[in-house]
Structures are given as structure tokens and as C-alpha cells.
Amino acid sequence: MFWQEKTLEQMTHEEWESLCDGCGKCCLHKLIDEDDQQEVIHYTDVSCRLLNTKTGFCSDYANRKRHVPDCVVITPANVYDLDYMPPSCAYRRLAEGRGLASWHPLLHDGDRGPMMAAGMSAAGLVDSEDQVTEDLELRIVTWPLNDSD
């Protein structure tokens, strides 16, 4: 189990990429309350246009920056600064020293079933930004903040 033996910086590109569980929560539009001095992040149920809302996977992961220039690529260099990542995110969990969640696909031979059963995926719960016309403030949800283990 490489994630227990290596630091984030020591992982190969393939190991790093395998940490992503494909939940799609990082692809949700987020809002910061400008009136709140603590800058609380509010998740919405509106996703980036590249997110496949049925599967929770990016539809063009390899070229996402070309299509969505402000898409944040998570790296060992920036993971410690990305406090807006969902608490269930494997990158965030490992950066915080918490280890992988018990439902993570790496612990189940790549099976996403336990993740889906734990309610950790955005699949089927979001609408693409291309289909939403109302203000994002009306689409704030709390379920992306859930983290179970």
C-alpha cells in the first residue's frame, strides 16, 4: 500500500493519479460568502461542464485545462493549500494525515461500489453548469462536506 509507505511527494505519477476516487466533488461550483470573515466555502450541486453527471468522471480529464482554464490540477506541491477540497478527498485526507477512507476504491480492488454506497460520489446528484439557469446561491448543498470512514 504505497500511500502508507510514501509521502505524497515520493509517489509516482500513476500512484498519485490512482488516489483520485472519481467522486466528482472537486468539480462542483463553490461559493465563498463575502460577508463572512472566515471565508466559509459553500458547495453547490452544479458541476463543471466537463463532469459526466451520471458517472462522476471528467469527460476529458487529459485535456481539462484546455477546456476549463481555471480547473485546478491537484499536485503534491499545492495539495496542502487547497482547503476547499471536500473533506472526503483522498488527497486532502492524506495531506492531513488521515489515511484513505474505508470505502476508497484502492481498498476494494478498484471497485467504486463501496464509495457509491457510502454516498461519497456526485454521480446522479448534480446538474451541469450548461443546464442551470438559476443563481448558484439557490443551489447550495451540504452533502459534499460529508466524510465517512
Side-chain angles (χ1 to χ4, degrees), residues 66-88:
R66 186 171 356 135
H67 300 292
V68 182
D70 62 346
C71 179
V72 175
V73 176
I74 306 165
T75 67
N78 69 8
V79 69
Y80 299 97
D81 300 322
L82 302 178
D83 58 355
Y84 55 83
M85 294 301 292
S88 60

Side-chain angles (χ1 to χ4, degrees), residues 10 16 21 29 37-38 46 55 61 70-71 74 77 83 87-88 90-91 110 112-113 123 128 130 144 149:
Q10 293 171 328
W16 177 263
D21 55 40
H29 285 278
Q37 292 183 355
Q38 295 181 9
V46 178
T55 66
Y61 184 76
D70 62 346
C71 179
I74 306 165
D83 58 355
S88 60
Y91 298 112
R112 295 177 74 222
S128 174
D130 289 341
D149 200 51

